[in-house]
Amino acid sequence: MHAPDSAPLSDPPVSLRHFRPFWWFWLTRVLLTSGFQVMSVAIGWQVYALTGSAFDLGIVGLLQFVPRILLVLVVGTVADRFHRQRIVALSMTVQAASAALLAMGALHWGFSTTRELIFAIAVVIGICRAFDMPTMQALLPSVVPPTLLAPAIAAAASANEAATILAPAAGGFLYALGAEFTYALVMTMFLLGAALVVRVPARRHISSGKAMTLEALMAGVHFIRSRRDILGAMSLDLFAVLLGGATALLPVYAGEILHTGPWGLGLLRSAPAVGALAMSAWLMRHPIQHRVGRIMFIAVAVFGLATIVFGLSSWFPLSLAALVVLGASDMISVVIRSTLVQLETPDEMRGRVSAVNSLFIGASNQLGEFESGMTAHWLGTVPAVVLGGVGTLAVAGLWMRWFPSLARRDRLIQD
């Protein structure tokens, strides 16, 4: 993989290491992601224990994703009209209340947890996630100066990856002691996060001031369509991950191809996050300053190649290494795309643009898992993964041709 052309920012006005407002934001992001990860583990275990149905597990995921589609236009407008810290705080408080309700059900305090209750909570979580994810994205540029946005996005991404690695294990351990302990931890995380986010100092948010008309709701979509570089970066990630996502098939690889069992599956699931976390730490210290378009396309191509290597490998260490490289290359693309989108978007539009971007990310991940499963059913597991990697390479080539200004872009901040 080609090393990014990077160097420390020259004479930044303030060091991220000493930039206290950002670390309040970072801690909130850790608590938000950790709470969601732990709650997902607990809900998954509990619904499977209640019903024994893998189909019900899929329903839980679907119920969490559907609100993001239905509310994509509304949440962006809300994030552009109202106090963003308060929106996140309210979302986390509602999720804390949901965790408290499930803890009470686990303890049989007046009622017991049922399949229907878990489904209802999944919808509530989906609604909250639809609001808090794009709002947090829109808030970050108001917390740090533009010169520190790229390393700040890398640092914020490291919060997600660290939570993805550690939180599910903590949730599984506590669940073994009792579901009520897991939900109590989730409730505590969300309440702490809600208390922290309202303390995040940010530059004054200028509301769009427009009524919630259809025109205002669609403004984010129209803005993305009018900015070729933003449209190219967001759609590149959507189709590359949609085709190249192999995570849904990791249980098949662990059991039938690599013959490792559950412990191997745990390592395989963690490997992309380990690569992403390491790369985010590198990018915090060495933000990419030049040839950003070329580097992003190289990163997507490396993602596709790593997918192919993983698909063909039957040697566990090589498979792990391929997934680490996959996660690292994806992080490069994520940081460049996210920074580009935030810098190119006016503050009064960031909520609506972030909402559409959040939908793209969710669609690529979750629809990618569906696509991988269906292709594996039709063609077999290995051909499905390899074909997905080839598809990612094809997307990178086509997008370089269709979005030449993005491929030629030198700096994140245009002169």
Side-chain angles (χ1 to χ4, degrees):
M1 183 174 134
H2 294 267
D5 179 17
S6 57
L9 288 171
S10 58
D11 300 324
V14 63
S15 169
L16 189 60
R17 183 174 59 182
H18 301 106
F19 200 68
R20 184 174 297 177
F22 170 76
W23 295 113
W24 287 110
F25 177 93
W26 189 88
L27 286 172
T28 302
R29 187 78 171 259
V30 169
L31 290 167
L32 177 62
T33 305
S34 297
F36 174 73
Q37 291 285 344
V38 174
M39 196 164 189
S40 295
V41 169
I43 285 178
W45 275 106
Q46 195 165 26
V47 75
Y48 193 71
L50 286 171
T51 69
S53 170
F55 178 76
D56 284 345
L57 292 174
I59 293 295
V60 169
L62 181 64
L63 290 175
Q64 291 182 29
F65 179 64
V66 167
R68 193 182 302 181
I69 300 175
L70 299 179
L71 297 173
V72 60
L73 300 178
V74 174
V75 299
T77 304
V78 169
D80 284 335
R81 284 178 57 84
F82 301 104
H83 194 286
R84 289 168 180 164
Q85 291 97 317
R86 293 173 186 168
I87 294 172
V88 177
L90 177 60
S91 170
M92 296 184 79
T93 302
V94 171
Q95 291 177 84
S98 300
L101 190 65
L102 289 172
M104 293 170 61
L107 291 169
H108 305 288
W109 285 2
F111 62 93
S112 297
T113 303
T114 63
R115 170 177 176 267
E116 289 71 25
L117 175 62
I118 293 176
F119 284 174
I121 293 294
V123 174
V124 172
I125 294 172
I127 293 172
C128 291
R129 294 288 287 176
F131 279 92
D132 60 41
M133 289 179 65
T135 305
M136 286 290 283
Q137 291 176 15
L139 175 62
L140 180 54
S142 301
V143 177
V144 299
T147 51
L148 289 180
L149 185 57
I153 286 176
S158 75
N160 278 359
E161 301 304 333
T164 300
I165 295 170
L166 299 176
F173 175 77
L174 280 177
Y175 194 90
L177 302 177
E180 63 273 16
F181 294 103
T182 307
Y183 292 127
L185 174 63
V186 171
M187 180 182 67
T188 303
M189 286 178 172
F190 282 134
L191 289 177
L192 282 175
L196 281 176
V197 73
V198 294
R199 296 172 59 88
V200 173
R203 294 189 298 277
R204 182 178 177 86
H205 166 56
I206 301 174
S207 171
S208 64
K210 295 182 179 179
M212 292 182 64
T213 62
L214 180 60
E215 180 182 0
L217 295 174
M218 291 295 295
V221 177
H222 295 321
F223 179 84
I224 292 170
R225 290 181 59 187
S226 69
R227 299 298 194 279
R228 291 284 295 170
D229 285 1
I230 293 180
L231 177 61
M234 291 174 60
S235 58
L236 173 67
D237 178 79
L238 170 65
F239 288 102
V241 176
L242 179 66
L243 294 173
T247 55
L249 302 177
L250 290 182
V252 181
Y253 269 85
E256 299 181 12
I257 296 174
L258 301 172
H259 307 292
T260 62
W263 67 270
L265 176 59
L267 290 177
L268 292 173
R269 285 196 177 278
S270 297
V274 169
L277 182 60
M279 181 56 69
S280 66
W282 171 267
L283 293 174
M284 285 171 59
R285 295 184 59 86
H286 306 279
I288 301 168
Q289 289 191 307
H290 296 287
R291 300 203 294 271
V292 294
R294 179 184 176 189
I295 290 171
M296 183 174 66
F297 279 105
I298 290 174
V300 171
V302 171
F303 180 90
L305 290 172
T307 301
I308 294 172
V309 171
F310 173 77
L312 295 173
S313 173
S314 57
W315 185 40
F316 187 67
L318 178 60
S319 299
L320 277 180
L323 290 175
V324 169
V325 172
L326 183 149
S329 58
D330 185 49
M331 179 54 63
I332 296 173
S333 174
V334 165
V335 169
I336 293 176
R337 184 192 73 248
S338 300
T339 307
L340 174 65
V341 170
Q342 296 288 17
L343 289 174
E344 291 276 313
T345 305
D347 183 65
E348 66 272 13
M349 291 284 297
R350 283 197 176 112
R352 281 164 287 182
V353 172
S354 294
V356 177
N357 188 36
S358 178
L359 179 61
F360 273 39
I361 294 170
S364 63
N365 290 330
Q366 287 159 318
L367 293 181
E369 292 184 2
F370 175 75
E371 178 272 333
S372 295
M374 292 301 295
T375 308
H377 177 71
W378 292 331
L379 304 178
T381 301
V382 172
V385 174
V386 172
L387 185 61
V390 172
T392 298
L393 292 175
V395 165
L398 287 172
W399 259 243
M400 289 183 70
R401 182 179 180 86
W402 292 345
F403 298 92
S405 65
L406 177 61
R408 295 192 301 266
R409 190 174 181 118
D410 181 55
R411 300 176 63 87
L412 288 166
I413 302 177
Q414 297 279 54
D415 295 331

